[in-house]
Amino acid sequence: VSDKHEILVTHPNLLRALVCRTLGVDPLAWTNIEVGPAGLSRVRALSDGRLVLLCLNERAFLSADATDVPF
């Protein structure tokens, strides 16, 4: 089976919900997850159905000026 990649561009609350599901935490914990503009988050779906959070809100690829945006 070949790898498959999907890119989702979404609002922060949907990303927070996905992170809660991935980590297996109470869905109400979403209010504690900070998601900034242009952040890159990666979730890996394993063949057994489990989800693994690889990174959350990564912004190192942005220039210094672009990361100066307050959340």
Side-chain angles (χ1 to χ4, degrees):
V1 177
S2 64
D3 287 344
K4 179 178 172 182
H5 297 86
E6 294 186 27
I7 297 173
L8 303 173
V9 177
T10 185
H11 292 281
N13 287 347
L14 295 175
L15 178 58
R16 289 179 180 109
L18 176 61
V19 169
C20 285
R21 179 181 170 105
T22 299
L23 297 177
V25 299
D26 182 349
L28 297 178
W30 74 270
T31 59
N32 298 314
I33 300 171
E34 191 166 318
V35 177
L40 175 67
S41 299
R42 294 179 56 205
V43 174
R44 176 170 287 152
L46 303 177
S47 60
D48 62 4
R50 291 181 296 141
L51 300 174
V52 178
L53 183 65
L54 300 176
C55 70
L56 176 65
N57 207 36
E58 175 63 46
R59 296 172 47 153
F61 63 92
L62 296 172
S63 69
D65 291 338
T67 59
D68 196 24
V69 177
F71 303 24

